[in-house]
Every structure is written in structure tokens, then in C-alpha cells.
Amino acid sequence: MKVACENARQQIVAIAAEKLGVPEADIALKDRLVYSMENPEKKMRLSWVVREAFARAQPIAATGTFFPHIDLKREWISRPWGQMAGTFSYATSVAEVAIDPETGEITVPHFTAAHDCGRAINPMAVEGQMEGSVQQAGMAAITEGNLWDGGHLLNPDLLDYKVPLACDMPEIDAIIVESIDPVGPFGAKEGGIAIRMNAYSAIACAVSQATGTLFKEFPLTPDKVLELVENGKEETR
Amino acid sequence: MILPDFEYRKAETVADAIGLYNEFAGNVRYLAGGTDLMPLLKHRLSTPAVVIDLKGILDLSTITAQDGWLTIGANVTLFALKQNQTIRDYFPVFYQSLEATACETLQMRGTIGGNLLQDTRCIEYNKSNDWRVARGFCLKMGGKTCNVVPGARVCLSNYCSDNALALISLSATVKVIGPGGERAMAIEEIFSGKGSKPFALEPGEILTHIRIPMEKSKGAYEKLRVRKSIDYPLVAVAACLKEDNARICVGGIGPAPRVYDLKGLGTDRVVDASRSTYADAKAVSNTTLSPEYRKRMAGVLFRRAVNKALKEEK
Ligand SMILES: Cc1cc2nc3c(=O)[nH]c(=O)nc-3n(C[C@H](O)[C@H](O)[C@H](O)COP(=O)(O)OP(=O)(O)OC[C@H]3O[C@@H](n4cnc5c(N)ncnc54)[C@H](O)[C@@H]3O)c2cc1C
């Protein structure tokens, strides 16, 4: 996206430089105007440049591609080494759970998520991504799962495949940790997936710690959790 | 999913509706809020020739307190009931069951009449026509076998109204009017106990009013569900206390709620009664949670509901 924008800008600059009679390096764009930095009196509206390009049958249109420096020979099974991504993001999820010892119902009063997303270009959007991850991984670990009867999916609808809704969500602290990435556009990396990858681990660890036992299967519906509570008691006895 | 073809008629009086019922020889379904009926039609679980809308019957839309009874018209929405001060003050168990029903948008659309007469549910039944054709029709669909319990001869689908449990615990009565005339009965008598045809109403009968004796009561409603924001009960218990007696109703398991009348509320008495719910609850694998777990939870919720109601008393 950034490269495409830069390429589009280059086309604008070329036309403006020609029209204003100044070198391309002297052109700046601001407030819908294209002007000479040397002599700001020399200026024209950006919309004129666009119209001019259109009249020349070469409308401003650009593409951009970016390919990170990765080791293309890397393969998950046969050659699991080599640089796998252009950059890496990091995140931590901390889940606080309360388990009803009689019913096995889990409530999550509080969830803390911290995410190194590079530069947060739009911090509110980054927080939204993190909260979405807590929903789709964290709370989903308690409610979401497919049920089968032979080959028949028993919950192919949103009534019985239980996606947590807004009122099922915990109080969330979303902490953005900025690290300006040297490669990512404007220093950005990604916002969201790293929490998506570990929010359920946090819930799982919290449930394991609370019940004192390990488990093999999601989702953590109350029937299964009650078993954990009871097994946990036996193991510590 | 799209609706099948049917004719739509709107009644303005109960007599009107029964006239239409007779005119179309019973091949009809009554419509209130439609929140239960519309999905059944879309799934082709019901294919009436005519749908008779009852919402225009104004007599069924009022709540009145008179002669020692609170009388509720069948068309009153769950949300309107929740807003009613008398219900909050006199019948806490009912207020809590209303609050626990589905979600507020559905409460605004769904009526109490429709809520009581909602069809029983099963994870193998409330499915699209294509799904059911692939799986094979079960007893409730007119097939020969149960898809949940192979070999079962009766349908064990679950009756899922939250509010029926509360109303039973409050000793409410209902009034119905049909082609054969008018009658009144205790609310628990509307259940047949059969999953394939859960209500013991005569063909064409319309539920017109629900009446609750106007006595202040202590009460509590306990409901188990996986998703708190919106979910049918997996098992639920309503408890209503009057002096030293309690009427407790367990539902969400099987085609009809179960009633327990307790005289005396000593701890032993309550624990004993809660134990019998385990044997009584005929849970099978027809919801998202295991039947054994739901059976056990009936007792847990039973004790909780009673204890919560007792605490409120102090
Ligand atoms: C997603 C979802 C979640 C839900 N969760 C819950 C829940 O947690 N707890 C709960 O209790 N309910 C739950 N419900 C059910 C909901 O509360 C009922 O669908 C609603 O109350 C029905 O009212 P209605 O007016 O829409 O009925 P309708 O759909 O119009 O009617 C329901 C049935 O009653 C019949 N009927 C209606 N009025 C009369 C009458 N006066 N006389 C004779 N027959 C009549 C209709 O023919 C139909 O068979 C849920 C529903 C949905 C869709």
C-alpha cells in the first residue's frame, strides 16, 4: 500500500514539475496543493494535476509490491529453519478466571493483553484488534466448538455454535507496546494476530492453575470444567 | 432461509380467530411475536396453509390487577412484563425468569403466550430441511426412530420456556378458548409430557390469559447456559417461597417441567428434595452439554434457588 502510494505520488510530481517548470526534487504536496519548495508561489491544485493526467489518457494509477526478506526454502516439516518472516511481533495475554466449583462455569472478570505492533498508526484500531482477539480466541476457548453426530454437524448455526457476544466479554486492558520497526511501513508490524495466538493459552493456563490439573480439549464448557475441578481435587489428595 | 407459502390472516377478536380456524379446517398456526413460529416454518418443521395473526386482539394485550389476581393477556410482551412494577414487587421469581429469557430484543418481540406455547427443542430437530433429510426423520418429525437415543419409543425433546417454570412455582392458572368453548386450568396442566406433541390443548384452542394469585412471595430463578448473553436453558429451576412452604419447578430437561411441593424448609428437607431431581431428570444427549452433567446440575440449581430465595427473606 505504501509503495503504491509512493508510486502514485511520483506520477503526480512528474506532471507538476513539468507544469510548474521546476525540478521534481523541488516538489512538495500539502493541503491539496502541489508547490515548489524553493519558491512556494509556484503552485497548483492537486485536482488539476489529476485532471491533467486524465486528459493525457494516463490517469494517476499505481500498484506497489513488497516482499519481505525471507528464506524461501524454508518449509514447515522438511526444512524447518531459515528466516520465516520479515519481522516479528510479540504479545502477552494474562487471563483472570473464576470457576464455580459446583457447576464448573467459568467467568473471566479481567483480561490483560499487551502487544508489540511496531508503530500503532491508528491506536484505536489496534486496541479493537486486540479486543477482537480476546473474543475470538480467549472467550471462544470457553464456548466455541463443533459438535458431531457421525458426519452430521450438530451445531451449524449461531445459536448452538456459541460465539461470545459483547455482553459475554471481560473487562479488557489493551496495552499497546510500540517498537518502530525498521522494515515495516511507517514502522508498523501487525496488530492483533499475536494476541489471537495466545489468548486461549492464557485462559487454558488460568483454568489449569485454578483446577490444579491439565486437560486435552477445548472448549472449556462447564461440564468438562467440573470434571477438571473434581480430578484436580483427587490429584492433590 | 425463506418462508414456505401460506396465507396470512389477521384476527381482531378471539371469536374471529376461532372462526378462521374452523374455516380452514384446522390447517392453521396461530402467530403472536413469531419468534418461535417463524424459524419452525423456515425449517419446514411446520407447514400450515394459513397463519392467523393474534396480535390484533387488543383484549389479550393488557395486564390487570383485580379480585386478588394479576391477569396477564397472552399478547403482552416479555419486555413489558419485565417493566411491570407489580411483577417486580410481588413475584421476584417471575421477574428473574423474564430477565433470563433469550435477550432483550427477543423479549420485546416475544409474547408470554408464545413463550409458554413454544415448541420443544432438540439439537437433532431444530435444523434445516436439508439437514434433516440427510440425517433421517426422527419421531417428532413423523419418522420411526429417535436420532438421539436409538431405539427410543418416545420423544425426549426439551421444553425450554424459562417463564413457564416461574409461573408454575407461583401457582398460576391459564384460560383458553377454543372451538369447544372456554376452560381454565392450572398452568402445569397444559403439558402433555410428550415431546412429539408437548401441549395438552384441544385443537384450535387459544391461550387468552394467565392469572397469578396476588400474594407477595419470595423467589429465585436459576438457569444454566453456556453463553450468558443469549441461550436457552440447559436446565433451570424456579423457586417460590410462601411462609414455610415452597413450590419448586425444574425445567429445560425433557418435554415438561417438574413440580416439587415442599412443606418445611429445613436444610435436610431441601437437600433430600434436590436429590430426587437427579432420578427424575430424564436427560439425553440432545443439547450441547452432556446429559449426566445436566442431571447433576438440576440438584445444584435446586438448592441454589431455594437458598437464594431464603436469603432474600432475611
Ligand atoms: C434465539 C432465541 C433464543 C431464545 N432463548 C430463550 C430462552 O432463553 N428462554 C425462553 O424461555 N425462551 C427463549 N426463546 C423463545 C422465545 O422466548 C419465544 O420464541 C417467544 O417468547 C415466543 O413468543 P412469540 O410471541 O414470538 O410466539 P410465536 O412464535 O408467535 O408463537 C409460539 C407458538 O405459540 C403459539 N401461540 C402463540 N400465541 C398463542 C396463543 N395466544 N394461543 C395459542 N397459541 C399461541 C404459536 O402458534 C406458536 O406455536 C428464544 C428464542 C430465540 C429465537
Side-chain angles (χ1 to χ4, degrees), chain B residues 134-174:
Chain B
R135 178 72 180 89
F137 284 4
C138 71
L139 296 172
K140 194 168 161 76
M141 304 166 203
K144 294 215 159 50
T145 53
C146 171
N147 285 340
V148 174
V149 185
R153 275 198 237 112
V154 293
C155 169
L156 291 166
S157 51
N158 301 309
Y159 176 68
C160 292
S161 162
D162 284 300
N163 304 298
L165 313 188
L167 287 169
I168 291 172
S169 77
L170 286 162
S171 310
T173 64
V174 293

mmCIF file of all heavy atoms in Angstrom, chain B residues 134-174:
data_model
loop_
_atom_site.group_PDB
_atom_site.id
_atom_site.type_symbol
_atom_site.label_atom_id
_atom_site.label_comp_id
_atom_site.label_asym_id
_atom_site.label_seq_id
_atom_site.Cartn_x
_atom_site.Cartn_y
_atom_site.Cartn_z
ATOM 1 N N ALA B 134 -30.916 -35.367 5.227
ATOM 2 C CA ALA B 134 -29.655 -36.110 5.214
ATOM 3 C C ALA B 134 -29.567 -37.032 6.435
ATOM 4 O O ALA B 134 -29.101 -38.172 6.345
ATOM 5 C CB ALA B 134 -28.475 -35.139 5.200
ATOM 6 N N ARG B 135 -30.039 -36.563 7.568
ATOM 7 C CA ARG B 135 -29.896 -37.320 8.820
ATOM 8 C C ARG B 135 -30.967 -38.398 8.945
ATOM 9 O O ARG B 135 -30.747 -39.436 9.566
ATOM 10 C CB ARG B 135 -29.990 -36.336 9.994
ATOM 11 C CG ARG B 135 -29.904 -36.944 11.391
ATOM 12 C CD ARG B 135 -28.498 -37.415 11.692
ATOM 13 N NE ARG B 135 -28.413 -37.999 13.020
ATOM 14 C CZ ARG B 135 -28.626 -39.294 13.287
ATOM 15 N NH1 ARG B 135 -28.928 -40.107 12.312
ATOM 16 N NH2 ARG B 135 -28.520 -39.749 14.512
ATOM 17 N N GLY B 136 -32.134 -38.148 8.371
ATOM 18 C CA GLY B 136 -33.264 -39.075 8.525
ATOM 19 C C GLY B 136 -34.238 -38.517 9.544
ATOM 20 O O GLY B 136 -33.828 -38.000 10.574
ATOM 21 N N PHE B 137 -35.529 -38.636 9.272
ATOM 22 C CA PHE B 137 -36.540 -38.023 10.133
ATOM 23 C C PHE B 137 -36.690 -38.769 11.459
ATOM 24 O O PHE B 137 -36.671 -39.994 11.490
ATOM 25 C CB PHE B 137 -37.893 -37.956 9.414
ATOM 26 C CG PHE B 137 -37.950 -36.861 8.387
ATOM 27 C CD1 PHE B 137 -36.837 -36.087 8.097
ATOM 28 C CD2 PHE B 137 -39.129 -36.585 7.717
ATOM 29 C CE1 PHE B 137 -36.880 -35.066 7.169
ATOM 30 C CE2 PHE B 137 -39.188 -35.576 6.774
ATOM 31 C CZ PHE B 137 -38.067 -34.820 6.493
ATOM 32 N N CYS B 138 -36.864 -37.995 12.524
ATOM 33 C CA CYS B 138 -36.998 -38.571 13.861
ATOM 34 C C CYS B 138 -38.471 -38.659 14.254
ATOM 35 O O CYS B 138 -39.356 -38.271 13.495
ATOM 36 C CB CYS B 138 -36.232 -37.729 14.874
ATOM 37 S SG CYS B 138 -37.032 -36.141 15.170
ATOM 38 N N LEU B 139 -38.710 -39.160 15.469
ATOM 39 C CA LEU B 139 -40.087 -39.341 15.952
ATOM 40 C C LEU B 139 -40.909 -38.054 15.864
ATOM 41 O O LEU B 139 -42.044 -38.061 15.396
ATOM 42 C CB LEU B 139 -40.070 -39.819 17.409
ATOM 43 C CG LEU B 139 -39.450 -41.194 17.681
ATOM 44 C CD1 LEU B 139 -39.332 -41.434 19.182
ATOM 45 C CD2 LEU B 139 -40.277 -42.293 17.028
ATOM 46 N N LYS B 140 -40.300 -36.943 16.297
ATOM 47 C CA LYS B 140 -41.040 -35.677 16.326
ATOM 48 C C LYS B 140 -41.368 -35.181 14.919
ATOM 49 O O LYS B 140 -42.248 -34.359 14.732
ATOM 50 C CB LYS B 140 -40.240 -34.634 17.124
ATOM 51 C CG LYS B 140 -41.026 -33.386 17.521
ATOM 52 C CD LYS B 140 -40.254 -32.563 18.549
ATOM 53 C CE LYS B 140 -40.733 -31.135 18.644
ATOM 54 N NZ LYS B 140 -41.993 -30.942 19.366
ATOM 55 N N MET B 141 -40.638 -35.666 13.919
ATOM 56 C CA MET B 141 -40.909 -35.264 12.533
ATOM 57 C C MET B 141 -41.810 -36.281 11.844
ATOM 58 O O MET B 141 -41.996 -36.234 10.630
ATOM 59 C CB MET B 141 -39.599 -35.171 11.740
ATOM 60 C CG MET B 141 -38.549 -34.263 12.323
ATOM 61 S SD MET B 141 -36.956 -34.592 11.507
ATOM 62 C CE MET B 141 -35.809 -33.988 12.750
ATOM 63 N N GLY B 142 -42.267 -37.277 12.590
ATOM 64 C CA GLY B 142 -43.109 -38.303 11.980
ATOM 65 C C GLY B 142 -42.316 -39.514 11.513
ATOM 66 O O GLY B 142 -42.855 -40.410 10.868
ATOM 67 N N GLY B 143 -41.032 -39.543 11.841
ATOM 68 C CA GLY B 143 -40.200 -40.685 11.463
ATOM 69 C C GLY B 143 -40.360 -41.839 12.444
ATOM 70 O O GLY B 143 -41.170 -41.775 13.374
ATOM 71 N N LYS B 144 -39.558 -42.893 12.252
ATOM 72 C CA LYS B 144 -39.760 -44.104 13.054
ATOM 73 C C LYS B 144 -38.807 -44.222 14.243
ATOM 74 O O LYS B 144 -39.039 -44.999 15.153
ATOM 75 C CB LYS B 144 -39.600 -45.343 12.158
ATOM 76 C CG LYS B 144 -40.700 -45.443 11.109
ATOM 77 C CD LYS B 144 -41.091 -46.884 10.837
ATOM 78 C CE LYS B 144 -42.469 -47.015 10.219
ATOM 79 N NZ LYS B 144 -42.684 -46.129 9.053
ATOM 80 N N THR B 145 -37.688 -43.481 14.202
ATOM 81 C CA THR B 145 -36.724 -43.637 15.297
ATOM 82 C C THR B 145 -36.344 -42.282 15.885
ATOM 83 O O THR B 145 -36.549 -41.249 15.266
ATOM 84 C CB THR B 145 -35.408 -44.265 14.801
ATOM 85 O OG1 THR B 145 -34.961 -43.483 13.689
ATOM 86 C CG2 THR B 145 -35.577 -45.704 14.387
ATOM 87 N N CYS B 146 -35.770 -42.369 17.069
ATOM 88 C CA CYS B 146 -35.226 -41.162 17.701
ATOM 89 C C CYS B 146 -33.760 -41.071 17.261
ATOM 90 O O CYS B 146 -33.043 -42.066 17.304
ATOM 91 C CB CYS B 146 -35.324 -41.295 19.215
ATOM 92 S SG CYS B 146 -34.465 -39.989 20.100
ATOM 93 N N ASN B 147 -33.322 -39.892 16.837
ATOM 94 C CA ASN B 147 -31.938 -39.758 16.382
ATOM 95 C C ASN B 147 -30.961 -39.544 17.525
ATOM 96 O O ASN B 147 -29.750 -39.551 17.331
ATOM 97 C CB ASN B 147 -31.821 -38.615 15.375
ATOM 98 C CG ASN B 147 -32.396 -39.015 14.026
ATOM 99 O OD1 ASN B 147 -32.541 -40.207 13.739
ATOM 100 N ND2 ASN B 147 -32.737 -38.031 13.209
ATOM 101 N N VAL B 148 -31.499 -39.329 18.727
ATOM 102 C CA VAL B 148 -30.628 -39.099 19.877
ATOM 103 C C VAL B 148 -30.423 -40.402 20.650
ATOM 104 O O VAL B 148 -29.300 -40.774 20.978
ATOM 105 C CB VAL B 148 -31.217 -38.010 20.801
ATOM 106 C CG1 VAL B 148 -30.392 -37.886 22.072
ATOM 107 C CG2 VAL B 148 -31.281 -36.677 20.064
ATOM 108 N N VAL B 149 -31.520 -41.078 20.938
ATOM 109 C CA VAL B 149 -31.447 -42.350 21.662
ATOM 110 C C VAL B 149 -31.960 -43.437 20.730
ATOM 111 O O VAL B 149 -33.165 -43.600 20.572
ATOM 112 C CB VAL B 149 -32.321 -42.324 22.934
ATOM 113 C CG1 VAL B 149 -32.133 -43.601 23.745
ATOM 114 C CG2 VAL B 149 -32.010 -41.100 23.778
ATOM 115 N N PRO B 150 -31.050 -44.187 20.078
ATOM 116 C CA PRO B 150 -31.503 -45.197 19.123
ATOM 117 C C PRO B 150 -32.433 -46.183 19.831
ATOM 118 O O PRO B 150 -32.155 -46.624 20.938
ATOM 119 C CB PRO B 150 -30.208 -45.887 18.689
ATOM 120 C CG PRO B 150 -29.119 -44.924 19.017
ATOM 121 C CD PRO B 150 -29.587 -44.132 20.197
ATOM 122 N N GLY B 151 -33.558 -46.447 19.212
ATOM 123 C CA GLY B 151 -34.486 -47.406 19.795
ATOM 124 C C GLY B 151 -35.534 -46.797 20.716
ATOM 125 O O GLY B 151 -36.472 -47.481 21.106
ATOM 126 N N ALA B 152 -35.346 -45.518 21.084
ATOM 127 C CA ALA B 152 -36.325 -44.909 21.991
ATOM 128 C C ALA B 152 -37.681 -44.842 21.304
ATOM 129 O O ALA B 152 -37.773 -44.626 20.105
ATOM 130 C CB ALA B 152 -35.866 -43.515 22.389
ATOM 131 N N ARG B 153 -38.738 -45.051 22.101
ATOM 132 C CA ARG B 153 -40.070 -45.033 21.503
ATOM 133 C C ARG B 153 -40.798 -43.722 21.747
ATOM 134 O O ARG B 153 -41.816 -43.465 21.134
ATOM 135 C CB ARG B 153 -40.884 -46.228 22.006
ATOM 136 C CG ARG B 153 -40.570 -47.441 21.126
ATOM 137 C CD ARG B 153 -41.598 -48.534 21.242
ATOM 138 N NE ARG B 153 -40.915 -49.757 21.653
ATOM 139 C CZ ARG B 153 -41.086 -50.314 22.833
ATOM 140 N NH1 ARG B 153 -41.913 -49.791 23.707
ATOM 141 N NH2 ARG B 153 -40.434 -51.414 23.126
ATOM 142 N N VAL B 154 -40.276 -42.929 22.673
ATOM 143 C CA VAL B 154 -40.896 -41.618 22.877
ATOM 144 C C VAL B 154 -39.868 -40.517 22.666
ATOM 145 O O VAL B 154 -38.667 -40.738 22.788
ATOM 146 C CB VAL B 154 -41.497 -41.470 24.297
ATOM 147 C CG1 VAL B 154 -42.676 -42.400 24.486
ATOM 148 C CG2 VAL B 154 -40.429 -41.709 25.354
ATOM 149 N N CYS B 155 -40.398 -39.354 22.312
ATOM 150 C CA CYS B 155 -39.524 -38.211 22.046
ATOM 151 C C CYS B 155 -39.192 -37.512 23.360
ATOM 152 O O CYS B 155 -40.066 -37.231 24.167
ATOM 153 C CB CYS B 155 -40.244 -37.251 21.101
ATOM 154 S SG CYS B 155 -39.425 -35.663 20.950
ATOM 155 N N LEU B 156 -37.899 -37.234 23.575
ATOM 156 C CA LEU B 156 -37.468 -36.593 24.820
ATOM 157 C C LEU B 156 -36.918 -35.186 24.572
ATOM 158 O O LEU B 156 -35.996 -34.732 25.246
ATOM 159 C CB LEU B 156 -36.428 -37.464 25.523
ATOM 160 C CG LEU B 156 -36.993 -38.777 26.078
ATOM 161 C CD1 LEU B 156 -35.888 -39.733 26.462
ATOM 162 C CD2 LEU B 156 -37.911 -38.520 27.259
ATOM 163 N N SER B 157 -37.494 -34.505 23.582
ATOM 164 C CA SER B 157 -37.055 -33.135 23.320
ATOM 165 C C SER B 157 -37.335 -32.262 24.543
ATOM 166 O O SER B 157 -38.150 -32.612 25.393
ATOM 167 C CB SER B 157 -37.785 -32.586 22.090
ATOM 168 O OG SER B 157 -39.171 -32.774 22.221
ATOM 169 N N ASN B 158 -36.616 -31.140 24.629
ATOM 170 C CA ASN B 158 -36.672 -30.311 25.836
ATOM 171 C C ASN B 158 -37.624 -29.139 25.696
ATOM 172 O O ASN B 158 -37.582 -28.407 24.703
ATOM 173 C CB ASN B 158 -35.283 -29.754 26.142
ATOM 174 C CG ASN B 158 -34.268 -30.845 26.349
ATOM 175 O OD1 ASN B 158 -34.501 -31.757 27.135
ATOM 176 N ND2 ASN B 158 -33.169 -30.775 25.621
ATOM 177 N N TYR B 159 -38.420 -28.926 26.729
ATOM 178 C CA TYR B 159 -39.265 -27.744 26.784
ATOM 179 C C TYR B 159 -38.425 -26.634 27.417
ATOM 180 O O TYR B 159 -37.889 -26.798 28.516
ATOM 181 C CB TYR B 159 -40.503 -28.035 27.620
ATOM 182 C CG TYR B 159 -41.386 -26.828 27.807
ATOM 183 C CD1 TYR B 159 -42.078 -26.291 26.726
ATOM 184 C CD2 TYR B 159 -41.521 -26.218 29.046
ATOM 185 C CE1 TYR B 159 -42.891 -25.176 26.888
ATOM 186 C CE2 TYR B 159 -42.330 -25.109 29.214
ATOM 187 C CZ TYR B 159 -43.010 -24.584 28.130
ATOM 188 O OH TYR B 159 -43.807 -23.492 28.285
ATOM 189 N N CYS B 160 -38.281 -25.513 26.710
ATOM 190 C CA CYS B 160 -37.267 -24.532 27.102
ATOM 191 C C CYS B 160 -37.799 -23.174 27.561
ATOM 192 O O CYS B 160 -37.034 -22.221 27.617
ATOM 193 C CB CYS B 160 -36.282 -24.318 25.955
ATOM 194 S SG CYS B 160 -35.265 -25.755 25.640
ATOM 195 N N SER B 161 -39.076 -23.075 27.867
ATOM 196 C CA SER B 161 -39.537 -21.768 28.354
ATOM 197 C C SER B 161 -39.018 -21.544 29.772
ATOM 198 O O SER B 161 -39.201 -22.383 30.651
ATOM 199 C CB SER B 161 -41.058 -21.701 28.358
ATOM 200 O OG SER B 161 -41.479 -20.631 29.188
ATOM 201 N N ASP B 162 -38.396 -20.399 29.986
ATOM 202 C CA ASP B 162 -37.963 -20.052 31.336
ATOM 203 C C ASP B 162 -39.164 -19.637 32.179
ATOM 204 O O ASP B 162 -39.239 -19.937 33.371
ATOM 205 C CB ASP B 162 -36.986 -18.862 31.277
ATOM 206 C CG ASP B 162 -35.613 -19.282 30.794
ATOM 207 O OD1 ASP B 162 -35.013 -20.134 31.463
ATOM 208 O OD2 ASP B 162 -35.145 -18.774 29.758
ATOM 209 N N ASN B 163 -40.089 -18.925 31.539
ATOM 210 C CA ASN B 163 -41.154 -18.291 32.316
ATOM 211 C C ASN B 163 -42.215 -19.276 32.779
ATOM 212 O O ASN B 163 -42.861 -19.047 33.793
ATOM 213 C CB ASN B 163 -41.756 -17.160 31.505
ATOM 214 C CG ASN B 163 -40.658 -16.193 31.105
ATOM 215 O OD1 ASN B 163 -40.023 -15.610 31.967
ATOM 216 N ND2 ASN B 163 -40.385 -16.088 29.814
ATOM 217 N N ALA B 164 -42.371 -20.386 32.049
ATOM 218 C CA ALA B 164 -43.331 -21.394 32.494
ATOM 219 C C ALA B 164 -42.939 -21.895 33.885
ATOM 220 O O ALA B 164 -43.788 -22.093 34.754
ATOM 221 C CB ALA B 164 -43.382 -22.542 31.504
ATOM 222 N N LEU B 165 -41.647 -22.077 34.112
ATOM 223 C CA LEU B 165 -41.198 -22.600 35.400
ATOM 224 C C LEU B 165 -41.562 -21.635 36.522
ATOM 225 O O LEU B 165 -42.067 -22.027 37.576
ATOM 226 C CB LEU B 165 -39.687 -22.828 35.389
ATOM 227 C CG LEU B 165 -39.078 -23.559 34.194
ATOM 228 C CD1 LEU B 165 -37.618 -23.845 34.461
ATOM 229 C CD2 LEU B 165 -39.833 -24.822 33.894
ATOM 230 N N ALA B 166 -41.304 -20.353 36.273
ATOM 231 C CA ALA B 166 -41.613 -19.351 37.293
ATOM 232 C C ALA B 166 -43.115 -19.308 37.546
ATOM 233 O O ALA B 166 -43.563 -19.270 38.699
ATOM 234 C CB ALA B 166 -41.105 -17.980 36.841
ATOM 235 N N LEU B 167 -43.906 -19.342 36.477
ATOM 236 C CA LEU B 167 -45.362 -19.244 36.636
ATOM 237 C C LEU B 167 -45.929 -20.474 37.350
ATOM 238 O O LEU B 167 -46.852 -20.369 38.148
ATOM 239 C CB LEU B 167 -46.027 -19.039 35.270
ATOM 240 C CG LEU B 167 -45.811 -17.633 34.684
ATOM 241 C CD1 LEU B 167 -46.264 -17.571 33.232
ATOM 242 C CD2 LEU B 167 -46.535 -16.571 35.508
ATOM 243 N N ILE B 168 -45.345 -21.635 37.084
ATOM 244 C CA ILE B 168 -45.798 -22.835 37.799
ATOM 245 C C ILE B 168 -45.485 -22.683 39.287
ATOM 246 O O ILE B 168 -46.323 -22.957 40.144
ATOM 247 C CB ILE B 168 -45.130 -24.103 37.223
ATOM 248 C CG1 ILE B 168 -45.656 -24.377 35.808
ATOM 249 C CG2 ILE B 168 -45.384 -25.305 38.133
ATOM 250 C CD1 ILE B 168 -44.934 -25.491 35.077
ATOM 251 N N SER B 169 -44.273 -22.204 39.583
ATOM 252 C CA SER B 169 -43.908 -22.071 41.000
ATOM 253 C C SER B 169 -44.812 -21.062 41.703
ATOM 254 O O SER B 169 -45.005 -21.123 42.911
ATOM 255 C CB SER B 169 -42.430 -21.700 41.149
ATOM 256 O OG SER B 169 -42.228 -20.339 40.857
ATOM 257 N N LEU B 170 -45.383 -20.138 40.934
ATOM 258 C CA LEU B 170 -46.292 -19.133 41.511
ATOM 259 C C LEU B 170 -47.746 -19.611 41.527
ATOM 260 O O LEU B 170 -48.649 -18.831 41.820
ATOM 261 C CB LEU B 170 -46.194 -17.838 40.702
ATOM 262 C CG LEU B 170 -44.927 -17.005 40.910
ATOM 263 C CD1 LEU B 170 -44.738 -16.019 39.776
ATOM 264 C CD2 LEU B 170 -44.972 -16.281 42.243
ATOM 265 N N SER B 171 -47.980 -20.878 41.181
ATOM 266 C CA SER B 171 -49.339 -21.457 41.125
ATOM 267 C C SER B 171 -50.267 -20.677 40.205
ATOM 268 O O SER B 171 -51.434 -20.422 40.531
ATOM 269 C CB SER B 171 -49.965 -21.535 42.524
ATOM 270 O OG SER B 171 -49.092 -22.147 43.418
ATOM 271 N N ALA B 172 -49.756 -20.290 39.054
ATOM 272 C CA ALA B 172 -50.575 -19.536 38.101
ATOM 273 C C ALA B 172 -51.582 -20.459 37.415
ATOM 274 O O ALA B 172 -51.406 -21.682 37.388
ATOM 275 C CB ALA B 172 -49.677 -18.887 37.052
ATOM 276 N N THR B 173 -52.634 -19.858 36.871
ATOM 277 C CA THR B 173 -53.605 -20.621 36.079
ATOM 278 C C THR B 173 -53.687 -19.990 34.694
ATOM 279 O O THR B 173 -53.249 -18.862 34.489
ATOM 280 C CB THR B 173 -55.014 -20.589 36.708
ATOM 281 O OG1 THR B 173 -55.476 -19.236 36.679
ATOM 282 C CG2 THR B 173 -54.998 -21.091 38.146
ATOM 283 N N VAL B 174 -54.233 -20.741 33.739
ATOM 284 C CA VAL B 174 -54.392 -20.180 32.398
ATOM 285 C C VAL B 174 -55.841 -20.335 31.942
ATOM 286 O O VAL B 174 -56.550 -21.242 32.383
ATOM 287 C CB VAL B 174 -53.471 -20.870 31.355
ATOM 288 C CG1 VAL B 174 -52.021 -20.579 31.648
ATOM 289 C CG2 VAL B 174 -53.721 -22.364 31.309
#
